[in-house]
Amino acid sequence: MARIGVFVCHCGTNIAGVVDVKRVAEYALTLPGVKYAIDYKYMCSDPGQNAIIEAVKEHKLDRIVVTACSPRMHEGTFRKAAERSGINQYMSEMANVREHDSWVHSDDKEAATLKAMKLMEMSVAKVRRSEALSKMYATVEKRALVIGGGIAGIQAALDIAEAGHKVVIVEKDPSIGGRMAQLDKTFPTLDCSACILTPKMVAASQHPNIELRVYSEVVEVNGYVGNFDIKIKKKASSVDNKKCISCGVCTLKCPSKRAQSEFDEKIAPRKAIYTPFPQAVPNKPVIDREACTFFLTGKCRICEKVCPTQAIDFNQQDEVVTEKFGAVVLATGFDIFDSNVYGEYGYGEYKDVVTSLQFERLINSSGPTEGHVVRLSDKKEPKNLVWIQCVGSRDESKGRPYCSRVCCMYTAKQAMLMKEHYPEVNCYVFYIDIRAAGKNYEEFVQKAQNEYGVIYLRGRVSKIYEKKDKLIVRGADTLSGSQVEIVADMVVLANGLEPRKDAKSLAQLFHVSYDQYGFFTELHPKLGPVETAIAGVFVAGACQACKDIPDTVAQAGAAASKVLGLFSKEKMEVEPLIAKVDPLVCSGCETCYNVCPYSAIEMEDREVSRGNLKHVAKVLDSVCKGCGACVGACYSKAVDLKGFSERQVYDQIETVTQ
Amino acid sequence: MEVKEKKLNIVGFLCNWCSYAGADLTGLGRNIYPADIKIIRIPCTGRMDPMMVIEAFHKGADGVLVSGCHPGDCHYSEGNYYWRRRYAHLKELLDFFGIDKRRFHASWVSASEGKKFAEVVKKVVTETQDWKDSNSK
């Protein structure tokens, strides 16, 4: 007969404020097998855990149920407590009466208490059927994959490499650098973005432990923490990097004028054979086959003729390699919100309405205009500029209720830079609120207004229309309560941030969850900000949520430290909650063999009784992930799943419906 | 000692990685929903044996909800696809058994859809109550 202990947590008032915890504990004592039950203020605290340990010893309990928060929160805590008390850690269960009860039924305390009693009873029913399981270990491949070569990816890779482990950076563009390479200056210090980024790019490329795979993408992911098998596709660049000496003659002589530079946000043309920007790392050109005259018409081959080292290879094919990694950092960054969604601002219709990133390229001295800010329509210098904030931020009607966190700051920065370059211009900013929470951020915005004379107007812009060669910006100034109209030469939209377009498909490859916008979901909003629900997969930078450069760098370092923690162990503990086959019941139909997503089932001819061979399924313990697809599919009920066994689930069903 | 209220009894089977986490988020966001549902945690909807649903009805459950990851988002790659196929057949079978369709629900709720889970439960409770009311007339 089982000897079960039930421990009911108050969680301060989180549970006890709604659920009558005393009644739950009293009810527990009426259940068969329950020998001990108490309620306590904080079960997860040291005294709480010690109370469990002492109770187990004193009352000779052999299994425990902790009625508290979600097992996703504290299952590990109480399994460890169980182990310390001398019983097997898998002889513990939790009943989730906080997330699934007190927090969601605070309107009906009686119903919440009855439900808590029921949830506890279900867990008691389940733990009665629990088995002692022994720990399992797996090896760790001490090699990390960083996806995304922006500042987040570079920083994470450098930190891991510095600690002595091999890192591969996969970047889909021809160069690492990411968004930060596109920026002119950074707030709040106004130091040049490229000047602080390029040394890091070079450091990454020269580090003996870092391997760059640019123009590459992850296409398939198998395996699990410590042992990922990842397929990486290197797109054909049509240039043999071993021969290329980065002289740049090919780009200079290329006659193609079809393509627009992605790096310059499509405000300048680029050649068909190109490096995205002069400081690109690695500084090797690629051929854009959709723009190349040779690939389109079969004639040209000028780059091939001018190349001094015969590095051009038109026959190059995409290459796919499969490699083993122990951990992955996702650092795919952001896109800016699509300005076309705001029809009233006339983006795309009026050439002089530009996005914030286009403005960065315009004012950047290595940009297409060499830092001369000119109107895209007539190349004249603008005299009056208007910034519109929250384009795709804090706007429920456009499906973007969140604040992008950086726009207030970069708007102030851009207006200040404009004033620095051209002191006589007028800069106006339409804003909703100024959100400048960061070290020296508020001071920075104040400086823009007080020292640089940037004029801030609190209100939304309702319409922009063209009048001769001017843009009329009509909006509200809610502080003076009046309509304002500004005759502008140029309008800059302060676009909000959103995840990269292909972030969702990448998340699906790794089975990492994402929110409705496509931002990767971290393990816990407060206590697991760089982990994901998938062990061994971490996140860094704006792919997880909007953030600025310092926060991105900090998160990248945190992700790297998690990777290093994983790599510090020779062997890693893995959950023994896996499937097992009863060979006596198995009919050898191979259904489980066919449904298993991990190829963890093997068919074998096994001696089930003396001299009697039987064709049966066998689970490969180290490969099984415990999803239970085989259990759901088995016709003869020969497979069962430890920790979620048939008897456990059926007993829970019976308890609910009693 | 327990006073049994005349309430619905709904069994919820939630996959550990998406819907169970989503239901946790419902709690974190304090989104109130009816207490009629009790949740059983399973690793994946692919682990769902249709017999579990039948057993729940057999034992007297008023309603059953099975919720997993969105198609394409399964933690175990394809478990929810197996469940989707089983669901399609099971729905017809339950109908054949004479179990009203308003009593059996399936949904996709991700780990970030806390509010959606509350909405799903409300819908399941409303429809099951609907069935119960029409049945008692």
Side-chain angles (χ1 to χ4, degrees):
Chain A
M1 187 68 184
R3 297 184 63 85
I4 306 167
V6 175
F7 303 87
V8 184
C9 182
H10 296 197
C11 195
T13 55
N14 279 308
I15 295 170
V18 178
V19 171
D20 184 349
V21 284
K22 291 250 181 302
R23 213 169 125 198
V24 176
E26 280 165 24
Y27 178 60
L29 283 171
T30 67
L31 300 172
V34 176
K35 301 293 172 202
Y36 182 76
I38 52 157
D39 59 283
Y40 186 74
K41 209 164 179 69
Y42 291 106
M43 276 329 309
C44 60
S45 68
D46 253 2
Q49 291 187 48
N50 287 334
I52 295 176
I53 293 167
E54 276 161 31
V56 168
K57 286 181 179 157
E58 197 184 324
H59 299 273
K60 298 195 172 51
L61 305 174
D62 63 359
R63 47 202 81 203
I64 59 169
V65 169
V66 183
T67 301
C69 53
S70 171
R72 295 176 57 87
M73 179 89 193
H74 269 313
E75 195 168 52
T77 311
F78 294 116
R79 277 185 183 166
K80 281 193 192 113
E83 194 158 65
R84 279 192 288 142
S85 72
I87 59 175
N88 186 276
Q89 59 169 321
Y90 294 96
M91 303 294 257
S92 73
E93 276 297 326
M94 290 188 74
N96 186 349
V97 298
R98 193 178 74 175
E99 280 86 344
H100 289 187
D101 190 16
S102 68
W103 276 353
V104 287
H105 308 313
S106 51
D107 56 333
D108 188 347
K109 292 185 178 180
E110 176 62 18
T113 304
L114 289 175
K115 181 168 171 178
M117 287 152 72
K118 195 49 110 181
L119 291 174
M120 180 272 297
E121 195 179 346
M122 284 161 68
S123 292
V124 168
K126 188 179 179 192
V127 84
R128 235 183 249 133
R129 300 289 191 193
S130 290
E131 300 171 57
L133 302 172
S134 48
K135 285 177 191 164
M136 287 171 34
Y137 295 92
T139 53
V140 182
E141 176 76 29
K142 295 182 180 178
R143 193 156 171 264
L145 174 68
V146 173
I147 302 174
I151 182 61
I154 292 172
Q155 186 63 47
L158 281 172
D159 288 352
I160 298 167
E162 273 301 298
H165 298 291
K166 296 281 178 199
V167 188
V168 171
I169 301 181
V170 167
E171 166 59 54
K172 71 172 171 15
D173 287 339
S175 167
I176 57 168
R179 291 293 181 201
M180 191 175 166
Q182 288 181 288
L183 307 181
D184 181 40
K185 303 280 192 300
T186 53
F187 59 79
T189 45
L190 290 187
D191 46 353
C192 144
S193 184
C195 314
I196 52 177
L197 178 68
T198 45
K200 281 206 184 271
M201 290 163 61
V202 173
S205 76
Q206 293 178 345
H207 202 290
N209 283 341
I210 298 181
E211 196 185 323
L212 299 184
R213 300 274 177 83
V214 296
Y215 219 44
S216 299
E217 283 171 14
V218 170
V219 288
E220 200 184 311
V221 179
N222 286 303
Y224 48 92
V225 54
N227 296 281
F228 289 104
D229 291 304
I230 296 178
K231 267 193 189 150
I232 300 166
K233 180 174 91 177
K234 186 186 182 308
K235 292 176 271 186
S237 67
S238 314
V239 173
D240 184 344
N241 282 357
K242 290 199 184 84
K243 291 184 185 163
C244 174
I245 52 166
S246 313
C247 65
V249 176
C250 50
T251 307
L252 205 65
K253 298 290 182 191
C254 175
S256 167
K257 291 192 177 79
R258 287 186 188 90
Q260 295 286 307
S261 164
E262 293 85 2
F263 187 79
D264 284 329
E265 291 294 318
K266 313 223 165 176
I267 56 172
R270 71 151 162 77
K271 301 292 182 69
I273 183 164
Y274 71 104
T275 48
F277 54 102
Q279 308 95 316
V281 173
N283 204 336
K284 308 281 182 190
V286 297
I287 293 182
D288 174 0
R289 294 189 174 181
E290 277 161 27
C292 173
T293 313
F294 172 69
F295 280 101
L296 292 174
T297 66
K299 294 196 190 99
C300 184
R301 308 186 83 122
I302 290 177
C303 50
E304 194 180 31
K305 281 169 212 139
V306 299
C307 178
T309 58
Q310 288 81 46
I312 307 293
D313 176 7
F314 291 117
N315 297 320
Q316 208 179 64
Q317 301 290 321
D318 292 354
E319 274 172 52
V320 179
V321 290
T322 306
E323 288 180 32
K324 245 187 160 36
F325 296 98
V328 180
V329 177
L330 305 179
T332 52
F334 66 90
D335 273 331
I336 57 169
F337 186 78
D338 179 9
S339 313
N340 291 306
V341 174
Y342 287 84
E344 63 269 34
Y345 297 158
Y347 179 77
E349 193 184 344
Y350 311 132
K351 274 190 154 180
D352 299 319
V353 179
V354 298
T355 69
S356 52
L357 271 182
Q358 286 173 332
F359 186 83
E360 290 287 342
R361 296 312 301 152
L362 281 173
I363 202 161
N364 192 312
S365 56
S366 67
T369 56
E370 293 173 332
H372 299 296
V373 178
V374 293
R375 285 155 50 101
L376 294 178
S377 58
D378 53 13
K379 310 290 174 214
K380 282 185 192 154
E381 285 182 2
K383 292 279 170 283
N384 294 298
L385 291 94
V386 173
W387 275 261
I388 303 174
Q389 290 200 172
C390 296
V391 177
S393 300
R394 303 181 67 197
D395 194 344
E396 198 99 50
S397 68
K398 300 290 191 287
R400 289 291 180 274
Y402 59 83
C403 168
S404 294
R405 289 189 59 194
V406 294
C407 324
C408 287
M409 295 306 297
Y410 74 61
T411 301
K413 173 199 77 179
Q414 290 180 343
M416 276 157 92
L417 290 175
M418 196 62 205
K419 281 274 193 184
E420 244 171 35
H421 289 218
Y422 310 95
E424 74 286 359
V425 299
N426 296 311
C427 295
Y428 303 90
V429 176
F430 280 94
Y431 70 101
I432 305 180
D433 293 299
I434 296 297
R435 297 197 162 172
K439 193 174 179 181
N440 294 324
Y441 283 15
E442 177 60 28
E443 295 93 316
F444 184 77
V445 177
Q446 290 298 333
K447 196 165 151 189
Q449 297 177 42
N450 301 335
E451 288 178 31
Y452 285 76
V454 179
I455 299 156
Y456 274 69
L457 300 157
R458 189 174 189 276
R460 274 265 185 212
V461 169
S462 57
K463 193 164 178 60
I464 296 174
Y465 60 94
E466 213 169 25
K467 205 170 183 183
K468 286 181 187 158
D469 63 340
K470 301 281 183 195
L471 291 166
I472 313 297
V473 181
R474 186 181 287 167
D477 178 4
T478 54
L479 294 183
S480 68
S482 59
Q483 280 281 332
V484 282
E485 253 187 21
I486 295 169
V487 182
D489 300 302
M490 188 183 231
V491 175
V492 185
L493 305 177
N495 307 71
L497 312 189
E498 62 184 22
R500 291 273 185 181
K501 303 274 176 292
D502 47 5
K504 278 185 194 171
S505 49
L506 186 71
Q508 290 181 347
L509 283 181
F510 283 96
H511 309 300
V512 164
S513 51
Y514 47 85
D515 65 14
Q516 65 263 52
Y517 315 108
F519 289 114
F520 302 146
T521 310
E522 63 282 8
L523 183 65
H524 188 277
K526 292 170 201 83
L527 305 177
V530 297
E531 299 99 322
T532 65
I534 308 300
V537 180
F538 306 98
V539 287
C543 61
Q544 179 256 333
C546 301
K547 54 177 74 72
D548 55 20
I549 296 168
D551 284 3
T552 295
V553 171
Q555 198 186 16
S561 81
K562 292 285 172 190
V563 171
L564 295 175
L566 188 64
F567 287 0
S568 68
K569 296 174 197 139
E570 282 312 314
K571 289 202 159 186
M572 155 188 78
E573 213 182 305
V574 288
E575 288 258 49
L577 303 177
I578 55 170
K580 65 167 184 221
V581 179
D582 184 343
L584 289 173
V585 183
C586 178
S587 65
C589 70
E590 301 190 355
T591 305
C592 54
Y593 176 79
N594 291 322
V595 299
C596 179
Y598 300 100
S599 309
I601 291 191
E602 213 175 51
M603 299 306 295
E604 61 166 7
D605 290 320
R606 185 167 166 171
E607 195 172 343
V608 285
S609 57
R610 192 179 299 165
N612 188 4
L613 282 182
K614 198 178 167 192
H615 185 63
V616 292
K618 180 189 157 187
V619 177
L620 302 171
D621 289 357
S622 58
V623 187
C624 177
K625 300 301 290 167
C627 69
C630 51
V631 187
C634 183
Y635 297 113
S636 26
K637 296 264 163 285
V639 202
D640 208 349
L641 185 64
K642 296 173 192 170
F644 296 94
S645 71
E646 292 280 299
R647 298 182 77 174
Q648 286 180 317
V649 176
Y650 282 101
D651 281 2
Q652 285 183 86
I653 295 171
E654 187 163 348
T655 312
V656 185
T657 48
Q658 262 167 17
Chain B
M1 57 182 282
E2 186 186 340
V3 189
K4 283 253 175 189
E5 266 190 72
K6 205 73 196 133
K7 279 222 165 195
L8 292 175
N9 209 344
I10 295 168
V11 188
F13 296 94
L14 265 53
C15 86
N16 181 45
W17 302 96
C18 294
S19 295
Y20 195 92
D24 280 357
L25 195 66
T26 316
L28 217 58
R30 310 294 197 275
N31 298 298
I32 307 286
Y33 59 80
D36 309 72
I37 189 167
K38 279 106 198 168
I39 290 159
I40 295 176
R41 180 162 74 130
I42 51 171
C44 174
T45 48
R47 197 246 173 278
M48 280 304 290
D49 183 338
M51 276 304 291
M52 291 172 175
V53 177
I54 294 171
E55 175 78 1
F57 283 121
H58 175 68
K59 293 276 175 180
D62 295 306
V64 171
L65 165 71
V66 183
S67 188
C69 308
H70 286 270
D73 292 354
C74 176
H75 179 80
Y76 301 109
S77 305
E78 48 204 46
N80 54 357
Y81 292 135
Y82 293 131
W83 162 247
R84 189 165 66 178
R85 284 170 77 174
R86 287 173 198 153
Y87 169 71
H89 293 294
L90 183 59
K91 205 168 63 171
E92 299 307 315
L93 184 68
L94 287 175
D95 196 37
F96 176 74
F97 285 172
I99 291 174
D100 197 293
K101 280 183 174 173
R102 283 172 289 184
R103 302 171 66 188
F104 179 44
H105 298 262
S107 67
W108 312 122
V109 174
S110 83
S112 61
E113 294 176 323
K115 274 187 192 159
K116 183 180 170 185
F117 182 73
E119 295 309 313
V120 167
V121 174
K122 281 177 197 162
K123 180 172 168 260
V124 172
V125 170
T126 314
E127 291 199 11
T128 310
Q129 188 67 54
D130 220 38
W131 158 77
K132 203 160 195 180
D133 294 345
S134 66
N135 217 28
S136 60
K137 270 171 200 167

